[in-house]
Amino acid sequence: MSVRFRVTCCALLIITLLAGCGSGGGVVPIPAPPSASKAAADLKVSAQRDLKIDNTRIISLSPDGKWLAALRDRSACIIAVDTLADKVCAEVTTGSLDSRSITWSPDSRRIAFTEDLVRYLFESDIWTLAVDSGQLTDLTPDNLSGSVMTFPQDSAATLDTMPGWSPDGQTLIFARSMRSGGTALYKISADGGTPQKVLDIAGGGMIAVWYGPHWLNTGKIVFTIFRAKIDDPDNGVWIVDSNGHNARQLVKVTDKQMGLPILRDVSAKGDRALVFYSGALQYATHTNVSYLALLDLTSGQTVPLQPAAEFLNVANATFSPDGSKIIYVYRNADNQTQVLVRDVQSGIDNNLLTQSTQLGTTTDFTVQGLDWTNSDTVYAAAAPGAGTLLTLGSK
């Protein structure tokens, strides 16, 4: 028995690589959450609040826990957590937005996103939306819009996707594909300017980069190469210096049924990452097989993320803001949802919550739907317009 993932044909044909480069300066000084000084065994859910917003798709919770990023028709919205009222909504008339591209700046002041290139073949740019001012900005305008299939093969059209923030929130890295072929990583100031090429992606091809890159405090970039052919030797998770040098593959496809390892999250310490395997999207039918794993960013060694007891599937996971813990959601043998927190170093688990309602999953790839904020509030998705806020406290 397993969670069924609904994946579009276009998404399954994605040729992906995610990466980022550049120097982002300093790191935004964010206080460690209260849980940082506690062991996983000392934590509990002190409050639970269910959310539901009609005609809205909730995407993620901001790092400070104050705002929800959401989609409504062709609009990107930022919603106040306290009141569930819109702070700002901005319509992008050039095409439907890609929910998987939405990413919060480290200081929770802006979100970045793109049009949905892969699913609907919309020409895409890098956009930002500011929380306070409501300003919607196209950082990479090219005066083109509509279906890329209408552009000539030799067109100079640029297709910009999958933004990722530098640790200081001043710079964005993104993938740029050319209609004529080829993909490269670029960086651009979050306030606008001329994009600078960082790295040409080996092997060329359009849409060679997918899933937002993770830019570590160490100056490294972790990214995923995901090409359509599952046994492509370049497929897998990679790491590279922020100047684009010294790229190396950390983990690759070793089991076609498990599928391609895809980056889910990285630790604030820059030492570990969470990956999920694309086989979960098609084959998640086996009991006691986890499609999530903990990756050592130095050695490349992976360890499956799973509870000690019998389980049906592990649905989602993310790191705590300080990187000392992992929170993960799975279905137990009684088909109930359980939310566990684990100490990364010791591997000791603590069961925070058991309930019948499914949590932590989305209708797309398992790269969203679970967020742990600096205020020790956890958001777990329950449906496109619904989810649960869990406040963590001490026993």
Side-chain angles (χ1 to χ4, degrees), residues 96-213:
S96 296
L97 303 183
D98 188 346
S99 62
R100 290 160 292 187
S101 72
I102 295 176
T103 180
W104 280 99
S105 63
D107 60 7
S108 302
R109 296 178 62 186
R110 286 181 279 198
I111 57 173
F113 52 88
T114 71
E115 292 92 341
D116 199 329
L117 171 62
V118 169
R119 195 180 328 219
Y120 301 116
L121 298 179
F122 285 128
E123 194 279 334
S124 54
D125 294 339
I126 304 298
W127 298 79
T128 60
L129 178 62
V131 174
D132 291 337
S133 68
Q135 181 176 351
L136 177 68
T137 304
D138 185 349
L139 293 179
T140 60
D142 54 11
N143 299 315
L144 294 171
S145 62
S147 172
V148 300
M149 302 307 293
T150 65
F151 303 157
Q153 186 68 31
D154 59 354
S155 169
T158 56
L159 312 174
D160 300 329
T161 58
M162 295 297 110
W165 294 91
S166 62
D168 64 2
Q170 300 301 306
T171 307
L172 283 159
I173 49 176
F174 64 94
R176 168 167 286 183
S177 293
M178 305 298 295
R179 178 67 179 92
S180 54
T183 301
L185 297 174
Y186 280 75
K187 64 180 179 180
I188 190 171
S189 168
D191 295 322
T194 302
Q196 301 175 5
K197 183 186 287 189
V198 175
L199 178 70
D200 282 309
I201 302 304
M206 284 180 56
I207 320 176
V209 173
W210 209 245
Y211 296 96

Side-chain angles (χ1 to χ4, degrees), residues 47-51 80-84 378-379 387-391:
Q48 181 174 352
R49 177 189 173 198
D50 294 331
L51 308 178
V81 169
D82 287 347
T83 63
L84 297 187
V378 172
Y379 172 72
T388 294
L389 291 175
L390 305 174
T391 301

Side-chain angles (χ1 to χ4, degrees), residues 142-275:
D142 54 11
N143 299 315
L144 294 171
S145 62
S147 172
V148 300
M149 302 307 293
T150 65
F151 303 157
Q153 186 68 31
D154 59 354
S155 169
T158 56
L159 312 174
D160 300 329
T161 58
M162 295 297 110
W165 294 91
S166 62
D168 64 2
Q170 300 301 306
T171 307
L172 283 159
I173 49 176
F174 64 94
R176 168 167 286 183
S177 293
M178 305 298 295
R179 178 67 179 92
S180 54
T183 301
L185 297 174
Y186 280 75
K187 64 180 179 180
I188 190 171
S189 168
D191 295 322
T194 302
Q196 301 175 5
K197 183 186 287 189
V198 175
L199 178 70
D200 282 309
I201 302 304
M206 284 180 56
I207 320 176
V209 173
W210 209 245
Y211 296 96
H214 288 258
W215 193 330
L216 307 181
N217 294 338
T218 60
K220 302 280 188 179
I221 308 297
V222 188
F223 61 96
T224 306
I225 294 180
F226 188 171
R227 302 192 188 279
K229 190 176 180 181
I230 191 67
D231 55 358
D232 188 308
D234 290 332
N235 277 349
V237 179
W238 292 66
I239 193 166
V240 66
D241 295 341
S242 59
N243 59 9
H245 297 161
N246 301 316
R248 63 186 178 93
Q249 189 178 34
L250 290 170
V251 59
K252 59 184 178 181
V253 176
T254 57
D255 182 334
K256 287 187 178 182
Q257 184 167 345
M258 289 292 289
L260 174 71
I262 299 169
L263 190 64
R264 165 62 178 94
D265 194 16
V266 294
S267 165
K269 298 179 179 181
D271 58 345
R272 290 178 172 85
L274 285 164
V275 298

Side-chain angles (χ1 to χ4, degrees), residues 299-368:
S299 67
Q301 182 179 9
T302 59
V303 178
L305 178 65
Q306 60 189 52
E310 182 179 1
F311 64 97
L312 301 177
N313 70 283
V314 178
N316 211 336
T318 195
F319 285 104
S320 64
D322 68 314
S324 67
K325 301 172 185 68
I326 296 170
I327 194 165
Y328 69 104
V329 181
Y330 75 99
R331 303 289 283 182
N332 65 20
D334 295 324
N335 204 28
Q336 293 180 305
T337 294
Q338 291 197 277
V339 180
L340 269 64
V341 61
R342 171 177 294 188
D343 284 316
V344 172
Q345 290 294 337
S346 69
I348 296 175
D349 283 337
N350 174 26
N351 184 25
L352 295 173
L353 180 71
T354 300
Q355 66 177 49
S356 59
T357 306
Q358 186 171 302
L359 292 175
T361 61
T362 67
T363 55
D364 285 313
F365 295 99
T366 315
V367 291
Q368 294 167 326

